[in-house]
Amino acid sequence: MVGEIAQRAEHDATGTANLIEECRADILSKYEQGLASIGSVLIRDQHTKAQVMANAGEILTEMAGTLRAGRLLDDETSRFLSWDIGVARASAGIHPRESLLAASVFFRAAFTTLSHRLQDDTHAARLLRLVVTALEQSISLRIREASSSYTGFLLNQVTEAQMAERRRIARELHDRIGHSLSVAQRQLELSNLYRPSEPAKALAKLEMAQQAIQETMCSLRQVTSDLHPPDGRTLEKGLLGYLDVIGTDDVQVELIVNGDQSWAPPIVSEECLLILREAARNALTHGDPSTIFIRIDVAPHELIASVIDDGCGFDPSQQAPKGSLGLSSIRERTQLLGGTVTIVSEPGKGARVDLAVPIQRRPDDQE
């Protein structure tokens, strides 16, 4: 009796595996149509679309193999494809929700197709359990692998951004503070040299040393302002404080904030402050603008902001302006917030940075 049950189970699994292969083309077609119907970004680019469809085909192959073997197959090839997908989507700025949504579309396409073919089978319920189990195992494995590589890519980007920021700070300290201190030291040496024979000239050198020290203190305040973490202030106050420290006497800056800033959780406010501050710093440092316009709109579900300047601009398709490490930092911070950023510029026509970050509602928020 036990042997008969085992044989029947094996027969059912083999038959279901064969059915999966027979329905492959139909399932993949429905999957592609389903992605198109929801406007998935995963099929807008030919390379990404090829990855998506190859991944779906491998899932079906793995499902059939799992049913025939009676266990989940650990295929290194599928791992490699999943890793590639995670890295590709992270580098393209595609949010993980797109992958999860695509997985849901594929599950529906596979399940509806196979359940329709099995509806007249006397053992349909048992066979469907086999299908769902194999489908869930294969999809989950790939999601885990892709998520791991996605996160790893972003962590590497953050590490690279941190190292780039350290190099930028080192340059700032050397170019601004180191130079001013060298000038001050030289003027003091000359003052001591002239003091016995030419007191007036010695006094002039002493005054120049004092001026160099004052410039050093101003530069130091600017550098430390970049390093100082936000202290929970509102975006508006944080940006106004930053603009006040760096000084914008020669540039007309307009800041407009709409909505209730308390809607944004502290982590969103702090990261957006760093992003917008970096965008403003890039404009002032590299753009030589006469005006900068900053607008922030805060809604219960989303924070939208823009930084627009009328400076010299640049070509975004080319290498970033020399010394401009902030653009990569802006993109990376935005990705980690699950948001989107668009940087538009053209030589001689200024630059524009548009930011959109979703705001997650807390469970205790009132509707």
Side-chain angles (χ1 to χ4, degrees), residues 142-158:
R142 281 169 167 75
I143 288 178
R144 288 195 299 270
E145 296 296 342
S147 298
S148 178
S149 63
Y150 188 102
T151 304
F153 178 87
L154 292 183
L155 288 175
N156 287 336
Q157 292 293 95
V158 170

Side-chain angles (χ1 to χ4, degrees), residues 239 242-243 246 248 253 273-287 289 292 294 307-309 330 353:
L239 283 171
Y242 172 71
L243 295 172
I246 63 174
T248 56
V253 179
L273 174 55
L274 293 174
I275 292 170
L276 297 176
R277 197 171 73 176
E278 189 61 45
R281 190 189 73 82
N282 276 343
L284 290 167
T285 303
H286 305 289
I292 296 178
I294 304 173
V307 178
I308 307 170
D309 71 80
I330 287 172
V353 177

Side-chain angles (χ1 to χ4, degrees), residues 97-115:
R97 62 173 172 266
E98 296 293 340
S99 299
L100 294 175
L101 186 57
S104 177
V105 172
F106 178 76
F107 185 93
R108 289 197 299 269
F111 181 77
T112 54
T113 301
L114 295 172
S115 61

Side-chain angles (χ1 to χ4, degrees), residues 207-355:
E207 291 176 350
M208 293 177 66
Q210 290 176 332
Q211 181 180 356
I213 292 174
Q214 289 176 348
E215 291 177 357
T216 301
M217 294 174 63
C218 181
S219 297
L220 183 60
R221 282 195 296 269
Q222 292 183 22
V223 173
T224 55
S225 174
D226 286 344
L227 299 177
H228 196 278
D231 56 6
R233 301 172 297 176
T234 63
L235 275 170
E236 184 175 15
K237 290 182 179 179
L239 283 171
L240 287 174
Y242 172 71
L243 295 172
D244 181 61
V245 168
I246 63 174
T248 56
D249 295 338
D250 299 331
V251 181
Q252 180 182 353
V253 179
E254 183 176 359
L255 173 62
I256 297 177
V257 180
N258 300 314
D260 187 346
Q261 296 177 68
S262 66
W263 285 330
I267 183 62
V268 173
S269 293
E270 292 171 4
E271 289 297 314
C272 287
L273 174 55
L274 293 174
I275 292 170
L276 297 176
R277 197 171 73 176
E278 189 61 45
R281 190 189 73 82
N282 276 343
L284 290 167
T285 303
H286 305 289
D288 191 25
S290 61
T291 60
I292 296 178
F293 176 69
I294 304 173
R295 174 169 177 157
I296 304 170
D297 295 324
V298 186
H301 68 288
E302 187 176 38
L303 185 149
I304 299 175
S306 299
V307 178
I308 307 170
D309 71 80
D310 63 350
C312 61
F314 63 97
D315 185 353
S317 65
Q318 303 299 318
Q319 185 176 2
K322 185 178 181 181
S324 177
L325 300 171
L327 296 181
S328 60
S329 174
I330 287 172
R331 292 189 178 98
E332 288 150 9
R333 290 185 183 279
T334 304
Q335 282 186 343
L336 292 174
L337 288 173
T340 58
V341 64
T342 304
I343 301 173
V344 179
S345 184
E346 187 175 339
K349 296 186 179 181
R352 174 174 183 143
V353 177
D354 289 317
L355 173 70

